[in-house]
Structures are given as C-alpha cells and as structure tokens.
Amino acid sequence: MSVPITVATATLSRRVVERRLAEFVDRDSEMRQFQAVLQSDDKLIMAVHGGSGIGKTSLLLRMIHECALGGIRKAEVVWTDTNPHDYMAVLRKIRDDLGVEHFQAFTDLINYFTDAEYRPKLEVTLNVHGQIAVGAGMQVTQSSVGDVSGVVIRDNMIVVQRQDLAISVEERRDQLTTRFIAGLGAASKASLVVIFLDAIEKMSEITYKWLWERLLEELRSGSLPNVRFLLCGQRPPPDDRDWAMFIARAELQPLGLQDVAMYIGKRAPNVSDAMRVELAKMILGPTRGRPTEVAAAVDAYLAMSSSS
Amino acid sequence: MSSEADGSLAAFKRLLDHASSDAEELAPVTFTEALVGGTRANVLRRCAIPHEFNCEMLRVLEPSLTAEEASRCYDRFLELSIIQVRGEVLSMHERWRKPLFKWWLRPENYAEFAEVSRRLAANFLATDRREDAGSEVEPTLRKHLYHLIGADPPAGFTMFKSLCRRARRQWRFTECAALIKLVSDYLPILPEELKASLAYQEGKLASDLRDWGRAEELFRGLDSNAFAPIELRIAALTRLGHALREQGRVSEAIQILTRAESAATGLPSANRMSWRVLLELGESYRDVSQLEDAERTLLASIEAARSSIDQPDCAVIYNSLGTVYLKRRESLLAINAFRASLEHLEREGDLLQTGQVQNNLALAYSEQLDWQAAERAFAKSLELKRQAGDLLGQGLALQNLSRVQTAQDKVDEGIASVKEAIAIFTELKDARRAGVAKHTLGKLLRNLGDTDGAGALFKEASALLEASGDADRAAAARADLNELKHKVGLPWWAWVAVALIPVVIVALVIAVWLAA
C-alpha cells in the first residue's frame, strides 16, 4: 500500500529513531571495532551476528548514524520476508544509494538483459573467443565500456530477464557484477564507501553464495580499496581461514546488569538509583538480557507506572 | 522507596512472572495488554499479521477505527520498543511477531485471523501482474499472496503454485525460495495435502540449485507420505530418479523410475506426466548402456508427450533418443532425432539448448563421414556457445571443429581451431583438456613434418595429462614423443644409406660372381 507520508508522521518517526539512538547502551567494543574497520585497511568486512532480539539492528542504526556524522557515504540493503533481494536487486539498491552516475555501464547492461526493446548505449562484450557480434542492434556510442558523457541511462527496473538471448543466467550475473564492480570502484575512488547489509539470514542461498564468491571476493582481491562491508544478521560469516583475516567478527552478547540499569536510567531518569538496580535485577532474569525484551519490559513498566 | 513505587514495582513483578510462566505464545499476548491496554492491545496484536504496516493499514486491521483514532494508535505504537521504524513504515519485531502470529493460527483465534487476512489480501491485491512487471509490484504481489493463504488456504496455495511456476520459468530461484518461505508460515493450518505439495515445490527448488542431497530427502519423504496424492508421489519419484542419476546412482534411479512408471500406468490422472517418467527412465537406461531399453522407453515417451496436456519437453526427448542412436552408431537415425529436437527448440525460441543439440548433430554427421555437414553443425554450435558466453563449450566445439576440418584436408584451419581451443582450456585452467588439445595439435604438426614443434607439444601434453591424473592419455602422448625421438635419431640420408647397404652388398656379390 502506498500512503503519502505526512510531515507530522515523518517528524515523529525521525524523533523516535533519534531517541532510540540516544538510549543506546553497551556495544562500545563493537563500535570501536567498526571505527577500526573504517580507519584501516586491516579488515574490509565487519560481520555482526547474534540471535533474534539481541540488538543487531539497533547497533546497525548506530553505525549508520556514525557514518552520517563522519560524512562517509553509505548504501543500505535490508532483507525482509516480503522483500528478498536477489543479486540484481542488491546491485540496483547500492547503485541508487551511491549515485547512479557512476554505474551507467551497469545500468545499460541490466536494461539490455531485461528489455528486448532496449538498445545498449555501450558495447556488450561477453566472455567470447573469436569474432562475434553479441549485442546485435545496439547503438554503440563508445568503443569500450565506460561512462557516456551527457547521457543519464535510466534503469527500466524490470526484474525478469529477457529470454530471447542465448546468454546463460550465470553469465549474465557475472557480467552485471563485473560492470557493477567497475562502477563501485569509480564511486569509491575519492573517498570511503560503507555498504550495510542487514538481516542477511533472510537472503536466499543462491544470493548468499554470489555475495561471498563474487561480490566480496572483489573486496578481498584488493580491487576496491575504499569500500567496506558491514554484514548484520543471525547467520555468522563462513568459518573459513582464508576469509578470517579480512573479517572483523562481532557476535553480540546479552546485556549485563549494569547495562540494563543504565538503560533504565536513560528511559526513566526520575527513578531512584536503588529502584533502578531493583528493576534491572527483576528484568534481567526473564529477558535473559536480550535488548529487545529488556526494552519491551521497560516499556511495560513505564506504561504500568503512568496508569497507576 | 515510596509505597506508590512499591506498588507499581510489585505489579510489574507480577506481570514478569505471569509472562514468563505463560506458554511462549502467550507471553506476548500478556505483554501487549500491559503495553497499551484493552482495545488498543488487540489492534497491536493484529499488527503481527502483516509483515509491516502504516497508519492507514491500521484501519484495514481494525475497520472500526476512525482516521483520528488510527493516527493516535499509530503514534502510540511508534513509541513501543517492540515496533521497528523505517520511515513511515512500522513492523513488529520478529521476536514478538512470530509467537503472536502462531497464536493467531490457534483454532480459537482463526476466524478473526481469517477475516483480517481477507481484508489485507484485498488491500494488497496487485493491479499489475504483467510478467515483466517492475520491482515495485512484486512485494505487493507477495503480500497479497501471503494474506490470501491466511484467508483461504486452497485459493492462496493455487496462486503460490502459479507464481512459483512462473518464477522457475524465469530462472528466478530467489523468488521461488521467498514464496516457499512465506507459505511455510502457515504450516500449522495447512491441510496435509498442501503440506505435501509445498514439500514438492521445495524439492524442485533444491534440484534447480543442484542441492541433490536435500532434493532426495524431500522427494523420499513424499514417497512415504500417506497424505500425498498418488499423482504427486509419481511426480516426486520421477524427480527423485533424476536426483539419483545426477549423483551417479543410476541403478537406484532405474528402480525408482520403474516404480513410478508402474504407478502411472493405467492411471488416467497421471497421463500428463507419463512422458517425463519415461524420459527419465530412458535416459537412465542409456547411461548404463541398455540401449534397446533406452530406445523403446524414449519412443514411448514421445508417444506419451503427444497426448499430454502439459507442455512436454519434446526437444529434450528427441535429443536423448539421438544420443542413444549415436551410442549404437546408427548415425542416420541419430541425425533425424537431433533434427526433430532442433525443430522443437526453434519453435520454442530456446537458443541455449540449441548449441548442445547442434554439437550432437555434428557428431552424428562425423560418424557418417559427412565432414561438410559436420563442420557446419559444429560451427553453428560454436557460434551459439559464444553467444552464451559458455567458454568450456566453445573449447570443446573448437576441438571437434578442428577434427572435421583436418579430415577435409583443411589443415591450417584445423590447426587454428585447436590452437584457440588450447587458449580457452588454458584460460579455464583445465589441464586435462588443454593436454588433450596439445596432443592433437602435436599430431597435426608431426604430419606436416614439424618434428620440433610436435615434440614440444607432446612433452607439454604429457606433463599436463600426468598432472591432471589422466595416466592413459599421458602415456599415449609420451609414446608419440618417444616415437618421434626414435625417428629423429638419424638423419633421413642415413636411413637411406642403411637401407641401401644390403642392396650394395648383393650388387657386390653379384659383381664378384659375374667377374669370377
């Protein structure tokens, strides 16, 4: 359903997000890890993982906020049950977040692969040996893959690939990724870019495989020195020694008593210290320190206090 | 602490105790009551039915709300920690949504749930269902499907199968996986027959992703599922046979497929799938070289395809039949079968498979020693594989092309083709195939008298083949190299001189005898 957003609603939701950021507790070591990933070439990927309700998304929001404060450009892809991005959707979303102008060649090819009526502006060169005109009917305006000056190629946003080309899906995926990587390289040439991927456990196996074997592999090979990935979800990164040295792992742990007490202090500043500790002890048991449940318990406490 | 504070703390403790002693599904119910109270609590619980909601959707969930009440509810829910905020769209955190959704599926709540689902399904009814619909339409369509299943499971499931079929046809396996996941939320209320059908769709997806272990597990489960209709079980057995073949377990596959064939025989409702059972069985017979059985079964598959109301894959059946004839060295029959396959592929506009069948056709022409026709077919196959970006296919086609070019004394062209094949196999790091191609090129150079070039290639081929574990071919390359060394041990005039020695001796003897 598409509902026009009211100014009041937008302001309110922004205010709520800001308030939640301000109430954020603990996770200092994870934030330091994140800063280290941004500031050095040592680790290129940060993988935040943990069970449901452990506070991954809150941490992610905090990291995104940090990027905004530091003027670092970012892209964000969130998987949901009703929006299970495949590789094309992932690439499109990152492109749109970082600026379509860097990804003209990619957009040109994605249009060509999805729209039989589309005439590519750039040469379509596939993995062929010998002489063959693959992109028959194209309007080649440059002899090699690159930007077309003065022309903005608009994505037709078609999600179904055309079936009248003798090009396998694997080959298409590979070619699109190659052009995307070139665009990402251009987009990140002058400054750091962070790509946030949230709820990766909802990613299909085929997309997950592509992510590690193709997209992140480019990062590992050193072709994208100014790009960092932040992976967030219930699924831990692959337990692979070849990858380990490139990944900063952060498995989130439940909150401790002090953290819960501090959180209560932020939510209910008028509550006395003794009461805060008492409440924290009470809450910690049944919630097992899971931040989402702690927060809900504090909500309930505040609702009951205000009604009594 | 004041007595008021003590009182609220005690009440809060009672709530926590109550929530933690409840069954897991009830804890969120208790909590929602505590969070927002009576009437609003039920609206909040209804927010667990969709994946996300906004202010206007609150009135779909609870039509008695006025616009103003909905807005107040929205503002209140926005403040709750169990609610996640993304722009104007809210969603209940999964930690709370999942148990609440399960609670809604309980028999005592289902009537209310179905009614809300019916309204949500109508709300998300997609207006645009074109096959090339853009990315905006798809999430809405998925949401419509999701709530349609809640409102009317059989109708929703029919839509699910149709969307799944379409996604598979479009090679969108991520979409299939997403649809299966959505339907799985309803497992507690799905009739057993639909559960079986869902498992079948999962099995098909596992096969598409070549996850044969998972596919086998799911199809075997259906074979022993008493609730699965017989047609579904036959279909599962057929796909199980395929999964077994793909794992190299052809004998097991034949047993399973024979069982599927027996079950389908005489069952009118299984007519539509008989061609597929017979195709799998015929290919299995071919794989174990029971060629008479393979021919008989594949001919029966063609016959069954003619009367099937499904969309039978005749191109594949004819291609398989052609390969059986090729194995039996009946090249004329093979050529006819491959041509029939190509006709079907042309009609369907399938260019990807055409390359493979052209290659098979060329092999059949080669068997007939019709080199010109073979060259044309290999060239066509090569062109299609280039378009497909299929590097390995290009290498193999070039190697075959080289063979037929050489057979027509077009040695230079043959050498150029095999050199290109070597470049491809080297790029692909396929040592064995690069070794075979180098051995072939060495033989061509040897025939042209370039013994140095041939020797170097035999040496390289032998090393590559040895490294890739193909001992037989490595030995053959070494034998050619040794033969070459042996031949190049003496210059040609020396061999002539050696051959002339007996002649000279005999001539001398005769001369001496005559003189005497």
Side-chain angles (χ1 to χ4, degrees):
Chain A
M1 172 188 266
S2 167
V3 179
I5 180 169
T6 63
V7 176
T9 308
T11 311
L12 187 61
S13 62
R14 199 167 48 244
R15 209 189 68 220
V16 169
V17 171
E18 282 166 7
R19 194 204 67 209
R20 287 184 183 179
L21 283 170
E23 289 163 0
F24 193 83
V25 292
D26 195 23
R27 311 307 184 209
D28 290 340
S29 86
E30 287 83 2
M31 287 307 294
R32 277 198 301 276
Q33 254 184 306
F34 180 60
Q35 288 296 341
V37 167
L38 298 186
Q39 286 161 10
S40 83
D41 297 338
D42 196 25
K43 307 276 184 188
L44 304 170
I45 300 163
M46 181 165 176
V48 176
H49 64 102
S52 178
I54 202 72
K56 298 180 294 294
T57 302
S58 297
L59 179 62
L60 192 86
L61 285 175
R62 180 76 190 272
M63 288 169 171
I64 290 171
H65 185 65
E66 287 289 314
C67 282
L69 291 177
I72 298 170
R73 282 174 311 144
K74 53 99 185 159
E76 192 188 353
V77 188
V78 183
W79 276 261
T80 66
D81 285 335
T82 53
N83 226 341
H85 307 286
D86 62 4
Y87 82 94
M88 284 209 305
V90 174
L91 297 181
R92 277 172 156 153
K93 178 68 169 62
I94 298 173
R95 173 200 62 190
D96 293 348
D97 284 358
L98 295 179
V100 293
E101 66 276 13
H102 303 293
F103 298 89
Q104 298 266 55
F106 164 73
T107 307
D108 192 41
L109 191 61
I110 208 166
N111 282 348
Y112 175 62
F113 282 159
T114 52
D115 183 358
E117 302 295 313
Y118 183 78
R119 296 285 168 267
K121 308 287 185 292
L122 301 166
E123 191 175 348
V124 178
T125 48
L126 293 171
N127 205 2
V128 300
H129 277 249
Q131 300 299 311
I132 188 111
V134 173
M138 72 175 77
Q139 295 169 338
V140 178
T141 53
Q142 280 196 190
S143 59
S144 62
V145 173
D147 286 341
V148 187
S149 53
V151 180
V152 175
I153 303 175
R154 296 180 73 86
D155 193 331
N156 55 32
M157 295 310 282
I158 295 174
V159 294
V160 179
Q161 301 212 28
R162 53 192 278 209
Q163 309 218 335
D164 60 336
L165 293 173
I167 304 169
S168 66
V169 274
E170 293 80 11
E171 178 64 16
R172 291 181 203 210
R173 186 167 55 222
D174 195 55
Q175 292 298 319
L176 283 170
T177 310
T178 300
R179 283 202 179 185
F180 173 84
I181 296 295
L184 186 56
S188 60
K189 199 172 178 183
S191 60
L192 191 67
V193 161
V194 184
I195 296 168
F196 293 92
L197 307 181
D198 192 15
I200 60 164
E201 74 278 4
K202 291 184 192 294
M203 203 185 277
S204 71
E205 278 307 307
I206 196 165
T207 308
Y208 187 78
K209 199 166 178 291
W210 163 81
L211 174 76
W212 283 97
E213 292 178 4
R214 192 66 178 83
L215 191 60
L216 295 181
E217 185 57 44
E218 291 286 343
L219 209 64
R220 188 165 65 161
S221 70
S223 58
L224 296 167
N226 273 343
V227 178
R228 302 286 181 275
F229 272 79
L230 190 295
L231 274 52
C232 191
Q234 293 179 29
R235 188 172 186 171
D239 202 9
D240 181 336
R241 286 173 61 197
D242 293 339
W243 271 106
M245 61 186 292
F246 297 96
I247 303 173
R249 291 172 76 115
E251 183 176 3
L252 297 190
Q253 301 300 324
L255 299 178
L257 186 67
Q258 290 300 318
D259 303 317
V260 177
M262 191 190 293
Y263 178 74
I264 295 167
K266 287 187 175 187
R267 295 285 311 273
N270 296 329
V271 170
S272 68
D273 286 351
M275 177 82 153
R276 198 182 303 157
V277 173
E278 189 66 23
L279 269 174
K281 282 180 187 165
M282 212 180 274
I283 289 172
L284 194 63
T287 61
R288 282 163 283 174
R290 285 187 290 215
T292 310
E293 290 179 39
V294 170
V298 175
D299 280 355
Y301 171 74
L302 293 175
M304 291 170 79
S305 302
S306 66
S307 65
S308 60
Chain B
M1 270 187 249
S2 69
S3 60
E4 195 180 309
D6 278 346
S8 63
L9 202 61
F12 180 57
K13 189 167 184 338
R14 277 197 302 277
L15 169 74
L16 288 177
D17 290 345
H18 182 55
S20 55
S21 64
D22 274 340
E24 199 186 345
E25 292 162 36
L26 284 178
V29 178
T30 316
F31 244 94
T32 46
E33 288 289 340
L35 286 173
V36 290
T39 322
R40 276 188 184 169
N42 199 41
V43 181
L44 182 58
R45 284 193 286 272
R46 286 184 182 191
C47 291
I49 300 175
H51 290 92
E52 53 193 28
F53 60 95
N54 57 19
C55 188
E56 197 165 306
M57 263 180 66
L58 288 177
R59 298 182 68 196
V60 178
L61 295 169
E62 177 51 74
S64 69
L65 289 178
T66 63
E68 205 178 315
E69 285 168 337
S71 180
R72 277 202 298 271
C73 260
Y74 179 89
D75 291 353
R76 176 71 187 103
F77 294 170
L78 184 66
E79 299 281 338
L80 299 174
S81 302
I82 64 169
I83 297 296
Q84 293 178 309
V85 186
R86 280 199 187 272
E88 87 275 30
V89 178
L90 308 185
S91 59
M92 190 177 285
H93 194 288
E94 275 197 9
R95 187 82 191 94
W96 303 87
R97 182 180 175 265
K98 273 188 178 168
L100 271 174
F101 192 86
K102 262 179 150 179
W103 174 81
W104 276 115
L105 296 180
R106 288 176 161 207
E108 66 270 25
N109 303 321
Y110 184 68
E112 188 182 335
F113 171 82
E115 188 53 33
V116 175
S117 295
R118 190 190 56 72
R119 286 197 299 273
L120 286 167
N123 182 63
F124 288 119
L125 188 60
T127 50
D128 188 347
R129 292 191 193 173
R130 283 177 300 145
E131 296 239 331
D132 62 349
S135 54
E136 296 298 315
V137 177
E138 294 246 314
T140 313
L141 195 58
R142 286 182 210 116
K143 288 173 192 170
H144 169 70
L145 165 74
Y146 188 71
H147 297 298
L148 184 61
I149 297 171
D152 180 353
F157 205 86
T158 303
M159 186 184 178
F160 158 71
K161 283 206 289 190
S162 150
L163 290 179
C164 237
R165 196 177 308 123
R166 192 176 86 178
R168 286 186 75 233
R169 213 174 51 226
Q170 295 166 342
W171 314 312
R172 298 176 63 215
F173 302 124
T174 292
E175 181 66 19
C176 290
L179 294 170
I180 289 169
K181 195 162 183 288
L182 287 175
V183 179
S184 301
D185 277 4
Y186 290 95
L187 278 174
I189 58 156
L190 280 186
E192 292 298 329
E193 192 179 322
L194 296 187
K195 277 185 198 165
S197 187
L198 181 64
Y200 180 67
Q201 296 294 335
E202 267 191 89
K204 282 208 288 190
L205 176 63
S207 296
D208 289 334
L209 300 177
R210 305 186 67 77
D211 183 353
W212 302 119
R214 175 77 180 136
E216 183 182 343
E217 182 190 331
L218 285 158
F219 292 136
R220 281 199 192 279
L222 283 168
D223 182 32
S224 55
N225 183 340
F227 295 103
I230 181 71
E231 296 82 3
L232 190 68
R233 286 161 73 175
I234 293 170
L237 283 175
T238 309
R239 289 189 182 269
L240 173 59
H242 182 77
L244 291 168
R245 276 182 60 215
E246 288 288 343
Q247 296 173 82
R249 291 150 64 187
V250 186
S251 305
E252 276 179 77
I254 290 174
Q255 277 181 4
I256 291 287
L257 292 163
T258 308
R259 208 146 65 72
E261 189 201 6
S262 310
T265 306
L267 190 69
S269 58
N271 266 353
R272 57 194 302 173
M273 63 184 87
S274 293
W275 68 270
R276 192 185 288 278
V277 183
L278 292 164
L279 169 63
E280 284 292 342
L281 186 56
E283 287 187 342
S284 305
Y285 283 136
R286 179 199 60 192
D287 292 352
V288 290
S289 294
Q290 287 179 228
L291 300 180
E292 303 303 320
D293 291 332
E295 182 196 20
R296 175 183 48 76
T297 314
L298 288 170
L299 286 171
S301 175
I302 291 170
E303 200 53 42
R306 285 198 185 111
S307 57
S308 172
I309 55 164
D310 262 356
Q311 290 176 316
D313 204 341
C314 292
V316 172
I317 311 176
Y318 276 112
N319 183 51
S320 299
L321 184 62
T323 56
V324 171
Y325 289 135
L326 208 51
K327 266 192 155 182
R328 278 170 34 180
R329 307 185 77 92
E330 292 180 77
S331 46
L332 204 57
L333 288 172
I335 287 168
N336 288 338
F338 292 134
R339 277 185 178 156
S341 175
L342 287 170
E343 276 171 29
H344 281 280
L345 288 172
E346 201 175 327
R347 235 174 283 153
E348 293 155 18
D350 186 335
L351 293 176
L352 270 177
Q353 287 192 68
T354 303
Q356 181 59 47
V357 180
Q358 282 286 359
N359 194 65
N360 291 342
L361 179 63
L363 290 172
Y365 281 130
S366 305
E367 277 290 316
Q368 278 225 314
L369 306 182
D370 185 348
W371 302 117
Q372 282 183 343
E375 186 178 359
R376 277 197 304 273
F378 276 133
K380 182 75 187 160
S381 168
L382 177 62
E383 185 190 323
L384 289 164
K385 282 169 181 171
R386 278 176 170 161
Q387 286 187 37
D390 174 3
L391 264 187
L392 178 61
Q394 288 172 60
L396 295 171
L398 280 162
Q399 208 173 3
N400 287 327
L401 189 59
S402 162
R403 197 160 58 87
V404 295
Q405 284 166 332
T406 319
Q408 296 171 87
D409 288 332
K410 296 194 246 179
V411 181
D412 288 346
E413 287 174 45
I415 287 175
S417 295
V418 78
K419 277 184 175 171
E420 217 181 315
I422 290 170
I424 289 176
F425 294 139
T426 307
E427 189 180 326
L428 289 173
K429 297 185 173 57
D430 188 335
R432 193 181 67 80
R433 289 196 170 96
V436 172
K438 284 191 177 189
H439 190 187
T440 306
L441 181 58
K443 286 180 192 169
L444 291 176
L445 295 186
R446 183 184 61 192
N447 293 347
L448 290 176
D450 179 359
T451 48
D452 288 346
L457 282 161
F458 289 149
K459 201 172 171 184
E460 284 176 44
S462 153
L464 286 168
L465 291 163
E466 194 73 60
S468 58
D470 193 340
D472 292 347
R473 283 200 172 91
R478 263 197 313 275
D480 279 338
L481 179 63
N482 289 336
E483 194 182 333
L484 206 60
K485 275 183 184 163
H486 182 62
K487 278 183 182 169
V488 299
L490 290 169
W492 66 269
W493 49 263
W495 286 108
V496 172
V498 170
L500 285 176
I501 288 171
V503 178
V504 172
I505 292 170
V506 170
L508 281 173
V509 170
I510 291 170
V512 170
W513 181 71
L514 284 175

